[in-house]
Amino acid sequence: RRCGLAAGRSYSGGGAYPSVSLTCPLPGVPKAVFAAAEGRERFETRVTVLENGLRVASQNKFGQFCTVGLLINSGSRHEAKYLSGISHFLEKLAFSSTAQFGSKDEILLTLEKHGGICDCQASRDTIMYAVSADAKGLDTVVNLLADVVLQPRLSDEEIEMTRAAIRFELEDLNMRPDPEPVLTEMIHAAAYRNNTVGLNRYCPVENTDKINREVLHSYLRNYYTPDRMVLAGVGIEHEQLVECARKHLLGAEPVWGSGQTKDVDRSVAQYTGGIVKVEKDMSDVSLGPTPIPELTHIMIGLESCSFLEEDFIPFAVLNMMMGGGGSFSAGGPGKGMFTRLYLNVLNRHHWMYNATSYHHSYEDTGLLCIHASADPKQVREMVEIITREFILMAGAVGEVELERAKTQLKSMLMMNLESRPVIFEDVGRQVLATNTRKLPHELCDLISQVKSTDIKRVVTKMLHKKPAVAALGDLTDLPTYEHIQAALSSKDGRLPRMYRLFR
């Protein structure tokens, strides 16, 4: 490469340097100084534990806005000694009137001054109150969060409105063309019958009238304690967040009092396996001009592992390798089209409407499952195909498909962590479970280390468990649970011959 006047090309409108190559520095211009990270420590998650047990965690991220919130070790899995549905109620009641704010509108107007928005999400093991706003309003945001979590009024009017909202949501769930949320509930109920993560995440209709302020206060007294909370923030200085936590959360007296906790459920998940079936007419679930065909939905799952175990990473790679989706992909070629459930199932059996792999992981257990949908008359073939895919997981894993799954998993991880709210949730959940956080580059290193022998090892261990089965729709031709279990124990995933001959 030659730099200088002789090496350049003449361009019309070339400006002051018409003959300098684009790959060479301009003569007489000072050397550029680029921004660089001052060591990796600037990007580590910092954690401080306050005197009352509250953990404060922060992650540096440049920008004008921050995301701050409280994550609480509380969810539907902790409702064994209470009415089912309390967490669902608390999610809907979040950011309503408090000791300082007379209504939800007042809260929203306060946040609006800082360009802020708020949200609350309850899951099986965590409830999360979050606010995204201008970083200059941090003190206001933490004050608001403390008030929302510890000083809610829970007025009769708000509770009545929440009952109506929950009833509407339950009706809507049963009318949706996509039954995935309902099937997820069913597979958890089948896998962990009547315990921990198998408890219903949605409030049963019969409990909506039974849950009142006294019931909620009784639950909050036991689970909304500082030692079960993490105040997490992304996009703010750690010392500033700790200072706000000390000011608004250290020594704060909750509205339900600070008596001794006595009904905290510390049960460890007990995987049972089993089947949950719901016969339902799915012939008219679409309201659009092009109706969805009548389908029967099957979900088959096996116990995997907790996200605290080393095998969690191989299971995550396995789930990515299985992939799948609907018979039409919004992403087109390249969006998982080389995963096993596309290549082996959807591409070969065009009558199947959907085949998707899911991995649910918790602090003490996990569940790897495949959801499949097809015409009711082809349920038997669909079950055989899915059980065969489970058995093939324990076979040979090609180097190309393994590398593709690992690369796709790392890519998805890094893309998701471009979003500030996702970083916030990742920081909060990891610190809540482990008091520390694995950084993205550490997770990518662990993903890179997964070998085909790791996949075979975790699958072999998984296949020794009883299956969990959820079935929804016209179940006339559904094989029995015993037949599905026998198919998973066979070498080829085929249903027992007697079933095929005489069913």
Side-chain angles (χ1 to χ4, degrees), residues 431-486:
V431 173
L432 193 63
T434 66
N435 296 319
T436 185
R437 179 185 179 227
K438 275 193 172 72
L439 293 174
H441 71 271
E442 295 177 272
L443 292 172
C444 287
D445 289 344
L446 291 171
I447 293 167
S448 298
Q449 292 167 21
V450 174
K451 298 180 177 63
S452 58
T453 51
D454 297 321
I455 301 292
K456 187 168 184 177
R457 174 175 51 78
V458 297
V459 171
T460 303
K461 186 166 71 172
M462 180 177 70
L463 286 172
H464 283 99
K465 305 289 178 69
K466 289 174 61 178
V469 181
L472 176 69
D474 180 350
L475 308 180
T476 307
D477 291 334
L478 177 71
T480 64
Y481 178 75
E482 290 73 23
H483 284 129
I484 295 172
Q485 190 173 4

Side-chain angles (χ1 to χ4, degrees), residues 175-472:
M175 292 168 61
R176 284 186 195 175
D178 176 21
E180 197 268 325
V182 175
L183 277 168
T184 301
E185 290 304 301
M186 292 168 63
I187 196 76
H188 278 81
Y192 306 92
R193 194 168 291 277
N194 299 325
N195 78 90
T196 57
V197 293
L199 301 178
N200 202 331
R201 195 169 74 83
Y202 298 102
C203 180
V205 177
E206 62 272 16
N207 284 358
T208 52
D209 288 326
K210 298 175 186 175
I211 295 176
N212 54 33
R213 189 188 297 108
E214 289 71 31
V215 172
L216 294 170
H217 276 186
S218 172
Y219 179 87
L220 291 166
R221 189 175 295 113
N222 287 294
Y223 289 99
Y224 276 40
T225 54
D227 58 300
R228 300 178 70 87
M229 295 182 184
V230 170
L231 176 67
V234 176
I236 34 82
E237 292 295 329
H238 185 71
E239 290 77 12
Q240 192 182 357
L241 185 62
V242 172
E243 184 184 334
C244 290
R246 288 186 180 280
K247 180 178 175 183
H248 300 294
L249 287 160
L250 187 62
E253 181 74 19
V255 70
W256 49 83
S258 55
Q260 286 292 315
T261 59
K262 55 183 178 180
D263 289 325
V264 176
D265 185 4
R266 304 189 190 279
S267 303
V268 175
Q270 303 297 314
Y271 180 85
T272 59
I275 186 167
V276 172
K277 299 186 290 185
V278 176
E279 288 267 4
K280 185 180 178 184
D281 180 9
M282 305 286 283
S283 60
D284 189 22
V285 294
S286 175
L287 301 175
T290 51
I292 294 173
E294 181 181 2
L295 300 170
T296 294
H297 301 271
I298 305 293
M299 196 176 270
I300 300 175
L302 291 164
E303 188 180 23
S304 57
C305 73
S306 128
F307 58 69
L308 299 177
E309 296 177 50
E310 289 183 3
D311 285 344
F312 172 69
I313 299 294
F315 269 116
V317 174
L318 171 65
N319 181 55
M320 191 60 67
M321 192 172 76
M322 298 307 294
S327 52
F328 299 98
S329 170
K335 189 184 177 187
M337 291 299 190
F338 290 97
T339 60
R340 283 194 180 185
L341 291 180
Y342 264 114
L343 294 175
N344 300 347
V345 178
L346 293 169
N347 287 357
R348 295 183 183 181
H349 308 282
H350 298 288
W351 46 268
M352 282 192 69
Y353 195 84
N354 177 38
T356 312
S357 175
Y358 296 95
H359 188 216
H360 306 277
S361 197
Y362 306 97
E363 198 170 342
D364 50 1
T365 187
L367 191 65
L368 183 79
C369 41
I370 296 176
H371 169 205
S373 310
D375 185 276
K377 295 183 180 63
Q378 291 169 301
V379 169
R380 181 186 65 78
E381 291 92 338
M382 176 168 65
V383 170
E384 275 198 351
I385 288 163
I386 297 306
T387 51
R388 186 183 68 223
E389 286 306 311
F390 270 109
I391 289 164
L392 287 174
M393 289 179 192
V397 178
E399 196 60 37
V400 173
E401 72 167 337
L402 180 62
E403 287 304 315
R404 182 184 286 121
K406 285 155 64 172
T407 303
Q408 200 172 341
L409 180 59
K410 287 188 279 189
S411 171
M412 187 183 75
L413 173 70
M414 300 308 291
M415 286 294 289
N416 285 339
L417 290 174
E418 287 291 308
S419 165
R420 191 180 58 251
V422 174
I423 300 173
F424 155 78
E425 187 173 348
D426 183 49
V427 169
R429 286 185 179 277
Q430 286 203 50
V431 173
L432 193 63
T434 66
N435 296 319
T436 185
R437 179 185 179 227
K438 275 193 172 72
L439 293 174
H441 71 271
E442 295 177 272
L443 292 172
C444 287
D445 289 344
L446 291 171
I447 293 167
S448 298
Q449 292 167 21
V450 174
K451 298 180 177 63
S452 58
T453 51
D454 297 321
I455 301 292
K456 187 168 184 177
R457 174 175 51 78
V458 297
V459 171
T460 303
K461 186 166 71 172
M462 180 177 70
L463 286 172
H464 283 99
K465 305 289 178 69
K466 289 174 61 178
V469 181
L472 176 69

